Amino acid sequence: MTKTVPAMHVAVNTSRRVNKAGVEVEYRSVLLRTSFREDGKVKHETLANLSALPDTAVETLRASLAGKTMVEAGAALQILRSLPHGHVDAVYAMARGLGFEAMLGPACRERDLVMALLAARMCAPSSKLATLSFFADTTLGRDLGPVSTDDLYRAMDWLGNRQAVIEKALARAYLRPEVNPDKLALFDLSSSWVTGTHNPLAAFGYSRDKKRGVEQIEYGMLANRAGVPIAVRVFPGNTADPTAFISIAAEIQDLAGVQDMVMVGDRGMITSARITALKDTTLGWVSALRITAIQELAQDQGPLQMSLFDQQNLAEITHPDYPGERLIACYNPALAAMRKHKRAELLDVTEERLKTIQKAVIAGRLKDAGKTGLRVGKTLGKNNMAKHFTLTIEDTSFTWVRDPESIAKEAELDGIYVIRTNVTEESMDAAEAVRVYKSLANVEKIFKSLKSRDLHVRPIYHHTEERTRSHVFLCMLAGHLTWHLRDALKPLTFTDEDRPVPEEPVAAVNRSAAAQRKASTQQLADGTPAYTYQGLLRHLATRTRNTMTMAGTTGTFELLATPTPTQHQALNLIRDHAKTYRK
């Protein structure tokens, strides 16, 4: 007879029986057993019945018999360091899911640093020097190892050298006909101020930030209709809008690999001179007329009359000054009411300021008509109100009256704007042309995200042209990932998930009932809290990666905190979104 060495284990047996009362009852027994093989057969021997022990004691005994070392919870396990990780992980999950990291270039140290710079810009935008502190206080520091400012600048130079390749890849991904059947691209210009005095791109110009007295740069943003940033061009701070447009228009067809693209730009971007320059290309365009051109169309014999809007809010008109083009006149009653109210406010504010000047003249503090005229001109110029007042200025007196004819003439055009395009009606009907032009608001959202809401592109601290361009390009790429994160995380934030599109293209777009409910209750449909996008990033950051050790040992290991239900849902949303866009 041969017998193997017995192995001790815990066996849990369950069975169901019907008791005397006719009720089915489950019986459970926990037995301490040894198992051994005797003459080729497996046999068991019960050593003790453990059914009376609590479940925790049974599991502890089972783990001990399995060879695991049991220690008292909290007495031996120590957390050496906890680093925020969840927000960085969300950025990397989106980038890798979209194939964005691979698109930046081949795997190398510079690409790793660029990805880290993008994550830092999206999670805690600051200067490059301050970014090093962000690395140290998150898991990026441990993953990257030692990093210096010189390393970051080398990574920016590497990124700048790859800008053309990356932008072409983005354009092919988001502007090719398969995903952009309308063949539309949006372009707009903005500016940001620059610190220091040595940046060759810095110049005084029209500041869209209303930051007077400082030099600035300008940059034009190319995006698809949804407002996903695709390419950016940096210009000196005194560049005119039309010049910037022509610069990107010359490249757009090559970038996207599509010959008959349609560019959408505002009335200051696509001017008559630029339209003339585009006639030799296959590039279509959609823009709008300036107010002076609208006034000419609205003259007594002109085609733009208020009777056009008796039955509808848009009408297509023609004029010999615009051969080969379509003009779509639109009337928005809400816009008309807003302009009327604003004009009334500006007239009242201007008159209050004029009264201050008048009191100074009467008191003798202003005795020269020329000096009085300068102050009056500056006051009227603040809100462009000079056309609505008739002035009488003398050395010892100053009076004014409103010009009712000028006010009435301007009021006639309240709420009216005119879309201008060379795209044929077969390719784009009047209603769609209006919607296309209004989609320029999506580029404004990019600038809002870049400047103040998410990425803080300004002020710009770099002193060389190449680094300035790399900085703006880096921020544009961060804006690209931010767009995707915002879109993916809409179910958890106050963002409208299903914003209704009105049948009337001129009408304002209102938030859906679900979005209004989220805003009023501060909760999602399931009763959990709704977040702002930035608030959700902060919540994701609370998921930490912890460096652990055991008492009496020198080894360490890392343990990632279990995600909260919201964090778990956010990661699932990111994965699903990335799969959709990578198809």
Side-chain angles (χ1 to χ4, degrees), residues 81 109 113 116-117 120-121 124-142 144-153:
R81 185 78 191 274
R109 175 66 170 171
L113 291 176
L117 282 170
R121 178 63 52 177
S126 58
S127 68
K128 303 301 180 292
L129 184 60
T131 296
L132 293 178
S133 299
F134 174 78
F135 289 171
D137 291 335
T138 65
T139 52
L140 285 172
R142 290 186 64 87
L144 292 171
V147 182
S148 67
T149 52
D150 288 340
D151 294 332
L152 297 184
Y153 288 135

Side-chain angles (χ1 to χ4, degrees), residues 273-579:
R274 301 288 80 76
I275 288 172
T276 302
L278 291 172
K279 285 186 176 179
D280 294 332
T281 71
T282 59
L283 201 65
W285 47 265
V286 177
S287 187
L289 291 181
R290 295 175 181 268
I291 186 62
T292 53
I294 295 176
Q295 289 171 346
E296 292 176 1
L297 292 175
Q299 291 177 353
D300 292 340
Q301 303 302 320
L304 181 58
Q305 304 297 325
M306 287 301 296
S307 58
L308 290 171
F309 309 112
D310 289 343
Q311 302 296 327
Q312 56 188 359
N313 285 337
L314 65 87
E316 196 157 343
I317 60 178
T318 59
H319 194 277
D321 289 347
Y322 305 94
E325 300 178 21
R326 297 165 58 206
L327 302 177
I328 303 155
C330 307
Y331 174 70
N332 186 335
L335 179 62
M338 183 188 72
R339 286 182 176 174
K340 180 181 179 181
H341 178 72
K342 184 176 181 179
R343 182 172 47 253
E345 280 190 338
L346 291 177
L347 286 169
D348 291 340
V349 169
T350 302
E351 282 198 322
E352 288 301 316
R353 292 172 178 167
L354 293 178
K355 287 177 182 179
T356 302
I357 299 174
Q358 186 183 55
K359 290 177 182 178
V361 173
I362 294 173
R365 294 191 297 273
L366 274 177
K367 300 179 180 180
D368 183 84
K371 293 181 179 179
T372 302
L374 287 174
R375 285 191 60 179
V376 170
K378 185 176 181 180
T379 297
L380 294 176
K382 284 184 177 180
N383 296 311
N384 196 25
M385 289 286 107
K387 56 191 172 184
H388 295 325
F389 290 94
T390 301
L391 310 172
T392 302
I393 303 176
E394 298 178 357
D395 287 342
T396 58
S397 66
F398 164 51
T399 58
W400 72 89
V401 293
R402 293 187 182 185
D403 185 344
E405 184 177 344
S406 172
I407 295 172
K409 184 177 180 180
E410 183 179 89
E412 289 177 356
L413 298 178
D414 283 350
I416 293 178
Y417 56 96
V418 179
I419 307 300
R420 179 185 186 186
T421 181
N422 69 340
V423 182
T424 63
E425 188 173 3
E426 290 75 18
S427 301
M428 184 185 298
D429 61 22
E432 180 63 9
V434 176
R435 292 191 179 97
V436 165
Y437 182 75
K438 291 174 72 173
S439 66
L440 273 176
N442 290 328
V443 186
E444 292 299 325
K445 292 178 182 178
I446 298 175
F447 290 138
K448 184 176 181 180
S449 177
L450 277 176
K451 291 182 175 185
S452 58
R453 188 168 58 175
D454 299 318
L455 305 172
H456 297 184
V457 65
R458 59 191 182 188
I460 295 167
Y461 301 101
H462 300 285
H463 293 164
T464 67
E465 180 176 337
E466 293 75 14
R467 295 269 170 80
T468 301
R469 295 184 188 278
S470 294
H471 169 74
V472 176
F473 182 52
L474 180 80
C475 290
M476 187 278 287
L477 293 177
H480 181 95
L481 286 176
T482 296
W483 186 93
H484 281 286
L485 273 180
R486 280 184 170 275
D487 193 63
L489 299 176
K490 284 192 294 187
L492 300 177
T493 66
F494 292 105
T495 305
D496 199 339
E497 298 175 58
D498 190 20
R499 198 171 189 181
V501 178
E503 295 183 7
E504 176 59 58
V506 181
V509 180
N510 298 314
R511 288 171 64 83
S512 66
Q516 292 176 355
R517 184 168 55 251
K518 283 196 292 186
S520 62
T521 63
Q522 305 288 296
Q523 292 181 340
L524 304 177
D526 60 2
T528 57
Y531 291 86
T532 64
Y533 169 73
Q534 291 296 339
L536 184 55
L537 279 186
R538 288 191 293 271
H539 176 69
L540 292 175
T542 63
R543 189 185 185 198
T544 58
R545 197 166 74 192
N546 308 291
T547 303
M548 317 287 289
T549 188
M550 301 288 293
T553 67
T554 58
T556 63
F557 62 95
E558 292 190 337
L559 183 65
L560 190 62
T562 302
T564 66
T566 297
Q567 292 167 346
H568 182 73
Q569 188 177 357
L571 289 174
N572 287 336
L573 289 170
I574 289 170
R575 293 191 192 98
D576 293 343
H577 177 93
K579 288 179 182 177

